[in-house]
């Protein structure tokens, strides 16, 4: 499973990544994380608000910080 975190490194982006990493750890699944900070790549992915989270290429969260529990539901 590949998880991409889209964001420029702001506090919300960092919180989304933290929650995603905790969700992966709690579920005990294998996941590769990638942080995408390049604005061209972010826009190309279809994001109009940050932060964002994609799982295996599918955009799941945009413009807000999802809780660990919400991310666990997405991943399971």
């Amino acid at each position: 499973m590949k998880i991409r975190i889209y964001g420029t490194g702001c506090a919300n982006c960092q919180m989304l990544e933290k929650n995603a990493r905790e969700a992966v750890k709690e579920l005990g699944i294998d996941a590769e994380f990638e942080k995408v900070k390049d604005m061209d790549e972010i826009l190309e992915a279809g994001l109009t608000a940050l932060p964002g989270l994609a799982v295996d290429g599918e955009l799941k969260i945009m413009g807000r910080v999802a809780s660990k529990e919400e991310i666990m539901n997405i991943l399971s």
Side-chain angles (χ1 to χ4, degrees):
M1 177 179 296
K2 185 172 183 176
I3 298 173
R4 297 183 99 187
I5 304 292
Y6 295 93
T8 58
C10 68
N12 284 342
C13 303
Q14 293 172 8
M15 182 59 76
L16 180 61
E17 180 180 2
K18 176 182 172 283
N19 290 348
R21 288 187 183 275
E22 287 179 4
V24 165
K25 183 177 180 180
E26 194 159 320
L27 289 171
I29 57 177
D30 261 344
E32 173 187 341
F33 280 85
E34 180 182 1
K35 293 167 72 172
V36 179
K37 294 182 176 181
D38 181 74
M39 284 307 292
D40 289 336
E41 199 171 340
I42 288 170
L43 292 172
E44 191 174 297
L47 279 95
T48 56
L50 295 174
L53 181 143
V55 178
D56 293 332
E58 185 177 340
L59 189 59
K60 299 289 189 179
I61 296 167
M62 178 171 57
R64 63 187 176 85
V65 177
S67 68
K68 176 182 73 175
E69 291 76 17
E70 182 180 356
I71 297 170
M72 287 174 68
N73 285 333
I74 290 169
L75 300 178
S76 57

